[in-house]
Amino acid sequence: MNGEQQYDADAGSGVEEMEFNWDEYLEDTGAIAAPHGSFKHVDTSLQNGFAPGMKLEVAVKSDQNTYWVATIITTCGQLLLLRYDGYGEDRKADFWCDIMTADLHPIGWCEQNKKILKVPEGIKDKIPDQEEFLQRVLKGACSAPANLLEGLHRGKNPLDLIAPGSRLELQNFRDSLEAWIVNVVENVGGRLKLRYEGLEDSDKFDRWIFYLDPFLHQVGWATQNGYNLQPPLAIRSLKSEADWQEILKKAKEEEEESSVPTDLFKDKPVIGVHSFSEGMKLEAVDPMAPFVISPATVLKVYNEKYFMIEIDDLRPERTTSQSYICHVNSAGIFPVQWSLKNGLHLSPPPGYPGQDFDWADYLKQCGAEAAPQSCFPLLTSDHGFKENMKLEAVNPVDPEEVCIATVTKLKDSYLWLQLEGSKKPIPDCIVSVESMDIFPVGWCETNGYQLRPPRKAIVNKQKKIAVVQPEKQVLSSRTVHDGLKNQELNSSDSVIINGKYCCPKIYFNHRCFSGPYLNKGRIAELPQSVGPGNCVLVLKEVLTLLINAAYKPSRVLRELQLDEEAAWHGHGEILKAKYKGKSYRATVEVVRTADRVADFCRKTCIKLECCPNLFGPQMVLDKCSENCSVLTKTKYTHYYGKRKNKRIGRPPGGHSNLEVAMKKPNKRRKRRKHFFVHKKKRSSTSVDNTPAGSPQGSGGEEEDDQDESELSHSLAQDRDKRKRKLRTFSFSDDENKPPSPKDIKIEVAEKLQLDSNPLEWSVADVVRFLKSTDCAPLARIFLDQEIDGQALLLLTLPTVQECMDLKLGPAIKLCHHIERVKLAFYQQFAN
């Protein structure tokens, strides 16, 4: 599977790359994380090789020339809590030591190196006969691993010993029991990216496998266990037999310097003896496409440990088979009728006549017998997983991806996982609770690996994605596997999700007027379209993108907020916004059915005072039907602003930002502490500056956080009244404020007017200026780096990118404001 499908991380991907936070995501979804203790392979990987009860020889503190036996009480990273043998249960003499710096050795080291073992003074009276005592306490004792106490491996986590360049042997689990040497390309928390020996210049056949996988072994395993070293059939034809033998000979010569310690594999699951016979029938999940359960046959029995099964395919024209090697503990094999007993769908073999599959008829037709129940291990439901729990899981179609996963169903020891954010949508995956391809929440972040963020938008440029609905069509393992690669839909085809017609594709028409609330630059960065999909989910996604594209996300959330007295004809969804370090949330109404989507989008656009075609099911190609491109900002806002009281969707008596701009800022007022704020009916003359939702995590709310640009003139007057000598700014082209009454009659000037010389600005002045722009989140950087006015005028794009570690987009936006200041400086103060 690895290497068969190569994806472009950008092309055709609908996932918006953004910083992902598990805590916020769990809060938003109301879900809980699967317990860490349910991932046994991860727990094993975190062990440092030392375990409580192990013994070692430690230098005595009071006499550094002598040593005594100590027992490990507990471990913490590279720190060990030790207790000298002889203290019994007395914990008062326990001491911590660092593996890297302490004088620690395995049992027997003193004898080998002629060092003195001597009872410490504190327990001398308790041990009259040292020799007899040592014989008694060391009998059957487990010594700490010598390789972790001495040499290059000292103090290292055992997992870190599997470094890039290390060699291992990997059994071929598709067509034979032969093994071949693999090189470690990458080690991510024990999840290894492996490349076959001889293919150093190609990553097409790379494999991702957890280091505890039963098919992965230390170099030399194949020879010791009587298996041949042969490259897999998939790569064997790439070189001649002589070339492969030469590659093998060279690898064996370098075996010592690239091998890993045998101790690393001591925790691997032990493969037991099976009792399967050739021709037996069973039910199985293909590990290469684990989306359906299918009838299968035991094709071949190799020995008491391994056998091969094949997913049944009755088509006479088939040219390939889906077979793989199993052992008694292999995941995804079940006795006949297991699906029926658990209320699950069994996918009939391709070529099976009819859709109503019956095992009794099928066994009679094939002349085969069912594998008895005794062949299968007992399944348990004692694993800690529950429905709707969240975790991280490998995408079986593209193992390079680790995605957010939700448990949608449980049966015995098996989970059905819905993956979010994968580059290509796939059906729910069936995995064992003991799978080494699932990980606890936060595993990717801990190990520095990219977790695929939740899907923010699906961009369908060339291919239309078919969303599979199991109840509507019967799928075999093969049809799913092939369909993921080949299936396309015409634009006229209906897509069905959960039995309901889904929302049509919603386009963002970037050329249309974005209005006073939405940032034109951020709108341009949005994906071309979202959907199709479930109406509620698609529209929630669209609104979330718009909120994030606003100058003030909290204000847009407030505009969209559902009025508690308005007629509720749709579905209430909780949306969130972040602004100036605070989080806001509110209930927003979205429609449920596709026939209301176009009207919903148009009314929402009008509510946000932007072009009614800015987003919706219609794509604007060249010319907008509203002719919004020829209207200036003030004319357009005035045109729609005059009809505010008549606009559909605006709550009766609702405020407008034009009215807010004409009012003086209100005095500070207390607000009630609550998490959901519903709009209250207010008169047209009243002003409510309350952001939608209260800041989370605080005991209350501060005064209204209006943009400083909106209040610059008022603030200047207030400062004059208080006779404070503070510099102020007035900006006539700041798009972060709604139009003032003057703006309605005159064009907006592009010129920046400064009230003071930037050369004299303090750090606080610079920060204040930035907070009045759409680069307000970057003000903290200027404060931390103490950038004053003189330093501000020296900044250039390369300097901003290098010193502030900004991406190109934010850096260009910031430099635009810096250039405005420079221009104003030259025009106003240079002479």
Side-chain angles (χ1 to χ4, degrees), residues 12 127 212 229 250 267-269 271 327 339 350 364 465 475 525 651 730 802 826 828:
I127 306 176
L212 294 174
L229 278 172
K250 184 180 178 182
D267 295 314
K268 277 176 48 176
I271 296 178
H327 50 81
S339 296
K364 187 176 180 180
I465 305 300
L475 302 172
E525 293 173 0
S730 59
E802 181 179 352
Y826 288 127
Q828 294 180 240

Side-chain angles (χ1 to χ4, degrees), residues 68 99 133 158 230 277 337 361 408 425 432 755-756 774 786 794:
W68 189 241
I99 302 169
F133 177 82
Q230 284 284 346
S277 301
Q337 304 286 11
D361 292 342
T408 58
S432 165
D755 291 344
S756 60
D774 56 359
E786 298 182 353
L794 295 173

Side-chain angles (χ1 to χ4, degrees), residues 507-509 512-514 518 523 546 605 610-616:
Y507 295 93
F508 289 104
N509 297 307
C512 288
F513 180 72
S514 57
L518 302 177
I523 290 291
L546 290 173
C605 288
C610 59
C611 175
N613 293 330
L614 180 66
F615 65 92

Side-chain angles (χ1 to χ4, degrees), residues 612-742:
N613 293 330
L614 180 66
F615 65 92
Q618 296 296 324
M619 179 188 287
V620 174
L621 297 175
D622 295 320
K623 189 176 181 181
C624 172
S625 60
E626 296 289 325
N627 204 25
C628 65
S629 60
V630 302
L631 295 175
T632 64
K633 176 178 177 179
T634 45
K635 285 181 179 178
Y636 195 93
T637 307
H638 182 237
Y639 174 68
Y640 280 96
K642 279 201 165 189
R643 299 186 298 174
K644 266 184 195 281
N645 293 332
K646 297 181 181 179
R647 285 189 301 175
I648 302 173
R650 170 69 69 182
H655 78 279
S656 75
N657 280 309
L658 286 174
E659 294 166 345
V660 172
M662 290 186 285
K663 290 281 184 180
K664 291 184 179 180
N666 285 352
K667 294 180 180 179
R668 180 190 299 265
R669 65 179 181 181
K670 291 185 179 179
R671 297 181 187 161
R672 292 173 297 184
K673 178 181 177 183
H674 48 299
F675 286 95
F676 295 89
V677 177
H678 293 289
K679 288 184 181 178
K680 300 222 169 178
K681 189 172 182 179
R682 44 193 178 264
S683 66
S684 59
T685 58
S686 66
V687 179
D688 187 352
N689 294 330
T690 308
S694 63
Q696 299 172 31
S698 62
E701 286 189 46
E702 300 171 358
E703 65 181 304
D704 197 41
D705 59 339
Q706 285 183 303
D707 283 345
E708 293 173 32
S709 58
E710 296 178 13
L711 308 176
S712 57
H713 295 293
S714 299
L715 287 174
Q717 294 171 7
D718 292 342
R719 290 180 186 124
D720 290 340
K721 289 177 182 179
R722 294 192 297 267
K723 297 181 180 180
R724 291 186 180 179
K725 191 176 180 181
L726 291 175
R727 302 174 180 88
T728 60
F729 313 98
S730 59
F731 310 117
S732 55
D733 65 337
D734 187 357
E735 290 189 9
N736 205 20
K737 64 174 183 178
S740 66
K742 292 180 180 180

